[in-house]
Amino acid sequence: MLNRLLKTLLVIIFVYKCSYAYTTQVIPDSTLYYTELLNKAIWQHKNLPYRSYQVSKKCYKYFVHEKDTLMVVKCLLNMSEMRLVRGNYSLSFDHSWEGLYLANKSKNNIQQAQLHIRLARLYDMFSMDDEVYSHLSDALEISKDIYFQNEEAVEQLIASYMNLAVKERKSGNYKVALKYLDSCLVNERVVERNQVEMTFINAERGYIMLQ
């Protein structure tokens, strides 16, 4: 009886070691591993911007090797944001333009809209209004197409209207800004599902009313 229990215990230990070896050897080099690593880096970007950038860069190299364009662009979006936060605008531009090139090549309209908005924000840092409006207009047109294809996909459309509202408010075009803020309420469901930041919209309206 004792021998049988001992044998069973040895089998369990052997299986556990094999399982652990498989986990440590395979998962770190898997797409799932790097996807989870990138998602964690994005989630931590506000508290750990430097680490978030370095992890995204590591994931970028992996996904380039795997020729996974969707994930490469996702890495570039976070890398661009982290450089923007740190004031490294040149590198942020580089990441954004590379991302837009790849998003255009793969015809990923959601990422195209995201990158046009990112570039608009960057150009706004240098008061290059023509470029800002050009990218925001492109983002809006793409976002409308996304919405017309799927009325549940409102995130990019709302983001486009919000960024246009902020730009018009900063430019002193308050009536136009208010129109864009109203347009953020794409349909009744966005408020019910908390898909729109009402706190932000109300704050923008309040600021405009005080002018």
Side-chain angles (χ1 to χ4, degrees):
M1 182 70 178
L2 184 61
N3 288 337
R4 185 178 298 176
L5 286 173
L6 185 59
K7 287 180 180 179
T8 303
L9 181 60
L10 288 172
V11 168
I12 292 172
I13 292 172
F14 176 76
V15 171
Y16 172 79
K17 285 184 175 180
C18 289
S19 175
Y20 178 77
Y22 175 82
T23 299
T24 55
Q25 290 174 18
V26 177
I27 289 182
D29 294 323
S30 69
T31 296
L32 177 61
Y33 170 80
Y34 279 98
T35 299
E36 291 180 350
L37 194 66
L38 177 61
N39 288 336
K40 185 176 180 180
I42 293 171
W43 183 68
Q44 293 179 329
H45 77 277
K46 289 185 179 179
N47 296 324
L48 301 168
Y50 178 76
R51 173 172 171 73
S52 180
Y53 180 81
Q54 294 302 321
V55 171
S56 297
K57 191 174 180 181
K58 179 181 178 181
C59 294
Y60 166 84
K61 292 178 180 178
Y62 172 82
F63 289 120
V64 166
H65 180 266
E66 294 297 308
K67 298 180 180 179
D68 189 335
T69 305
L70 176 72
M71 295 305 296
V72 169
V73 175
K74 189 173 181 179
C75 291
L76 287 166
L77 273 162
N78 192 54
M79 290 162 68
S80 170
E81 179 67 18
M82 294 304 91
R83 296 301 88 184
L84 174 60
V85 169
R86 304 266 303 189
N88 191 336
Y89 303 127
S90 176
L91 196 50
S92 185
F93 267 114
D94 289 345
H95 293 324
S96 297
W97 276 114
E98 182 184 354
L100 184 58
Y101 168 78
L102 292 172
N104 287 338
K105 191 174 180 181
S106 63
K107 298 180 181 179
N108 187 307
N109 50 14
I110 292 176
Q111 290 183 329
Q112 286 173 335
Q114 290 173 330
L115 285 154
H116 277 299
I117 290 173
R118 177 64 48 75
L119 284 163
R121 287 175 57 202
L122 282 164
Y123 281 115
D124 197 37
M125 297 283 184
F126 300 94
S127 301
M128 298 174 67
D129 287 354
D130 288 344
E131 295 292 336
V132 174
Y133 282 114
S134 176
H135 283 290
L136 289 179
S137 295
D138 287 343
L140 181 59
E141 289 305 310
I142 294 169
S143 300
K144 283 180 178 179
D145 287 341
I146 295 170
Y147 179 70
F148 289 147
Q149 293 172 24
N150 178 11
E151 291 189 358
E152 297 296 316
V154 297
E155 184 177 350
Q156 293 310 311
L157 186 56
I158 293 170
S160 297
Y161 281 132
M162 278 189 173
N163 279 276
L164 279 163
V166 171
K167 180 57 184 173
E168 295 293 3
R169 187 261 295 164
K170 289 166 68 176
S171 300
N173 303 321
Y174 300 126
K175 288 184 178 179
V176 179
L178 286 171
K179 281 180 61 179
Y180 282 130
L181 286 174
D182 290 339
S183 297
C184 290
L185 306 179
V186 177
N187 56 49
E188 295 177 358
R189 296 187 299 275
V190 298
V191 178
E192 296 171 0
R193 298 175 182 178
N194 295 319
Q195 291 175 296
V196 62
E197 297 180 38
M198 290 306 301
T199 303
F200 172 83
I201 290 176
N202 290 333
E204 282 290 318
R205 280 181 178 150
Y207 182 87
I208 291 170
M209 294 303 177
L210 290 173
Q211 303 309 305

PDB file of all heavy atoms in Angstrom, residues 129-140:
ATOM      1  N   ASP A 129      -2.251  73.729 -37.744  1.00  0.00           N
ATOM      2  CA  ASP A 129      -3.693  73.517 -37.830  1.00  0.00           C
ATOM      3  C   ASP A 129      -4.151  72.809 -39.100  1.00  0.00           C
ATOM      4  O   ASP A 129      -5.085  72.002 -39.064  1.00  0.00           O
ATOM      5  CB  ASP A 129      -4.428  74.855 -37.695  1.00  0.00           C
ATOM      6  CG  ASP A 129      -4.410  75.380 -36.270  1.00  0.00           C
ATOM      7  OD1 ASP A 129      -3.935  74.641 -35.383  1.00  0.00           O
ATOM      8  OD2 ASP A 129      -4.865  76.511 -36.031  1.00  0.00           O
ATOM      9  N   ASP A 130      -3.514  73.103 -40.215  1.00  0.00           N
ATOM     10  CA  ASP A 130      -3.913  72.441 -41.466  1.00  0.00           C
ATOM     11  C   ASP A 130      -3.753  70.927 -41.353  1.00  0.00           C
ATOM     12  O   ASP A 130      -4.629  70.162 -41.775  1.00  0.00           O
ATOM     13  CB  ASP A 130      -3.088  72.964 -42.648  1.00  0.00           C
ATOM     14  CG  ASP A 130      -3.464  74.389 -43.037  1.00  0.00           C
ATOM     15  OD1 ASP A 130      -4.546  74.850 -42.603  1.00  0.00           O
ATOM     16  OD2 ASP A 130      -2.684  75.033 -43.762  1.00  0.00           O
ATOM     17  N   GLU A 131      -2.632  70.517 -40.776  1.00  0.00           N
ATOM     18  CA  GLU A 131      -2.379  69.086 -40.602  1.00  0.00           C
ATOM     19  C   GLU A 131      -3.341  68.487 -39.574  1.00  0.00           C
ATOM     20  O   GLU A 131      -3.824  67.362 -39.741  1.00  0.00           O
ATOM     21  CB  GLU A 131      -0.927  68.851 -40.168  1.00  0.00           C
ATOM     22  CG  GLU A 131       0.108  69.244 -41.191  1.00  0.00           C
ATOM     23  CD  GLU A 131       0.054  68.337 -42.411  1.00  0.00           C
ATOM     24  OE1 GLU A 131      -0.426  67.200 -42.295  1.00  0.00           O
ATOM     25  OE2 GLU A 131       0.486  68.777 -43.486  1.00  0.00           O
ATOM     26  N   VAL A 132      -3.599  69.244 -38.522  1.00  0.00           N
ATOM     27  CA  VAL A 132      -4.517  68.764 -37.479  1.00  0.00           C
ATOM     28  C   VAL A 132      -5.894  68.489 -38.059  1.00  0.00           C
ATOM     29  O   VAL A 132      -6.451  67.393 -37.891  1.00  0.00           O
ATOM     30  CB  VAL A 132      -4.632  69.797 -36.327  1.00  0.00           C
ATOM     31  CG1 VAL A 132      -5.713  69.352 -35.326  1.00  0.00           C
ATOM     32  CG2 VAL A 132      -3.306  69.975 -35.615  1.00  0.00           C
ATOM     33  N   TYR A 133      -6.441  69.473 -38.759  1.00  0.00           N
ATOM     34  CA  TYR A 133      -7.786  69.309 -39.322  1.00  0.00           C
ATOM     35  C   TYR A 133      -7.817  68.233 -40.408  1.00  0.00           C
ATOM     36  O   TYR A 133      -8.818  67.518 -40.554  1.00  0.00           O
ATOM     37  CB  TYR A 133      -8.295  70.642 -39.883  1.00  0.00           C
ATOM     38  CG  TYR A 133      -8.788  71.579 -38.816  1.00  0.00           C
ATOM     39  CD1 TYR A 133      -8.131  72.775 -38.546  1.00  0.00           C
ATOM     40  CD2 TYR A 133      -9.931  71.272 -38.073  1.00  0.00           C
ATOM     41  CE1 TYR A 133      -8.576  73.642 -37.560  1.00  0.00           C
ATOM     42  CE2 TYR A 133     -10.378  72.133 -37.076  1.00  0.00           C
ATOM     43  CZ  TYR A 133      -9.708  73.313 -36.828  1.00  0.00           C
ATOM     44  OH  TYR A 133     -10.166  74.170 -35.837  1.00  0.00           O
ATOM     45  N   SER A 134      -6.741  68.110 -41.153  1.00  0.00           N
ATOM     46  CA  SER A 134      -6.679  67.086 -42.188  1.00  0.00           C
ATOM     47  C   SER A 134      -6.788  65.686 -41.577  1.00  0.00           C
ATOM     48  O   SER A 134      -7.576  64.848 -42.036  1.00  0.00           O
ATOM     49  CB  SER A 134      -5.365  67.205 -42.975  1.00  0.00           C
ATOM     50  OG  SER A 134      -5.248  66.165 -43.915  1.00  0.00           O
ATOM     51  N   HIS A 135      -6.020  65.450 -40.530  1.00  0.00           N
ATOM     52  CA  HIS A 135      -6.038  64.131 -39.888  1.00  0.00           C
ATOM     53  C   HIS A 135      -7.350  63.885 -39.138  1.00  0.00           C
ATOM     54  O   HIS A 135      -7.871  62.756 -39.152  1.00  0.00           O
ATOM     55  CB  HIS A 135      -4.841  63.984 -38.964  1.00  0.00           C
ATOM     56  CG  HIS A 135      -3.559  63.717 -39.682  1.00  0.00           C
ATOM     57  ND1 HIS A 135      -3.288  62.518 -40.315  1.00  0.00           N
ATOM     58  CD2 HIS A 135      -2.471  64.509 -39.909  1.00  0.00           C
ATOM     59  CE1 HIS A 135      -2.093  62.569 -40.879  1.00  0.00           C
ATOM     60  NE2 HIS A 135      -1.575  63.763 -40.641  1.00  0.00           N
ATOM     61  N   LEU A 136      -7.874  64.922 -38.496  1.00  0.00           N
ATOM     62  CA  LEU A 136      -9.152  64.748 -37.795  1.00  0.00           C
ATOM     63  C   LEU A 136     -10.292  64.492 -38.777  1.00  0.00           C
ATOM     64  O   LEU A 136     -11.201  63.702 -38.498  1.00  0.00           O
ATOM     65  CB  LEU A 136      -9.452  65.968 -36.925  1.00  0.00           C
ATOM     66  CG  LEU A 136      -8.584  66.135 -35.673  1.00  0.00           C
ATOM     67  CD1 LEU A 136      -8.987  67.398 -34.912  1.00  0.00           C
ATOM     68  CD2 LEU A 136      -8.696  64.917 -34.758  1.00  0.00           C
ATOM     69  N   SER A 137     -10.245  65.130 -39.918  1.00  0.00           N
ATOM     70  CA  SER A 137     -11.270  64.906 -40.953  1.00  0.00           C
ATOM     71  C   SER A 137     -11.182  63.482 -41.488  1.00  0.00           C
ATOM     72  O   SER A 137     -12.209  62.814 -41.693  1.00  0.00           O
ATOM     73  CB  SER A 137     -11.109  65.904 -42.099  1.00  0.00           C
ATOM     74  OG  SER A 137     -11.350  67.219 -41.659  1.00  0.00           O
ATOM     75  N   ASP A 138      -9.946  63.028 -41.718  1.00  0.00           N
ATOM     76  CA  ASP A 138      -9.752  61.646 -42.181  1.00  0.00           C
ATOM     77  C   ASP A 138     -10.274  60.656 -41.144  1.00  0.00           C
ATOM     78  O   ASP A 138     -10.943  59.667 -41.485  1.00  0.00           O
ATOM     79  CB  ASP A 138      -8.269  61.376 -42.450  1.00  0.00           C
ATOM     80  CG  ASP A 138      -7.774  62.056 -43.717  1.00  0.00           C
ATOM     81  OD1 ASP A 138      -8.621  62.451 -44.542  1.00  0.00           O
ATOM     82  OD2 ASP A 138      -6.546  62.196 -43.875  1.00  0.00           O
ATOM     83  N   ALA A 139      -9.955  60.919 -39.876  1.00  0.00           N
ATOM     84  CA  ALA A 139     -10.414  60.038 -38.797  1.00  0.00           C
ATOM     85  C   ALA A 139     -11.940  59.992 -38.742  1.00  0.00           C
ATOM     86  O   ALA A 139     -12.536  58.920 -38.566  1.00  0.00           O
ATOM     87  CB  ALA A 139      -9.853  60.506 -37.457  1.00  0.00           C
ATOM     88  N   LEU A 140     -12.579  61.158 -38.914  1.00  0.00           N
ATOM     89  CA  LEU A 140     -14.030  61.223 -38.856  1.00  0.00           C
ATOM     90  C   LEU A 140     -14.667  60.448 -40.009  1.00  0.00           C
ATOM     91  O   LEU A 140     -15.634  59.692 -39.798  1.00  0.00           O
ATOM     92  CB  LEU A 140     -14.494  62.680 -38.885  1.00  0.00           C
ATOM     93  CG  LEU A 140     -16.014  62.905 -38.804  1.00  0.00           C
ATOM     94  CD1 LEU A 140     -16.588  62.315 -37.521  1.00  0.00           C
ATOM     95  CD2 LEU A 140     -16.338  64.400 -38.896  1.00  0.00           C
TER      96      LEU A 140
END
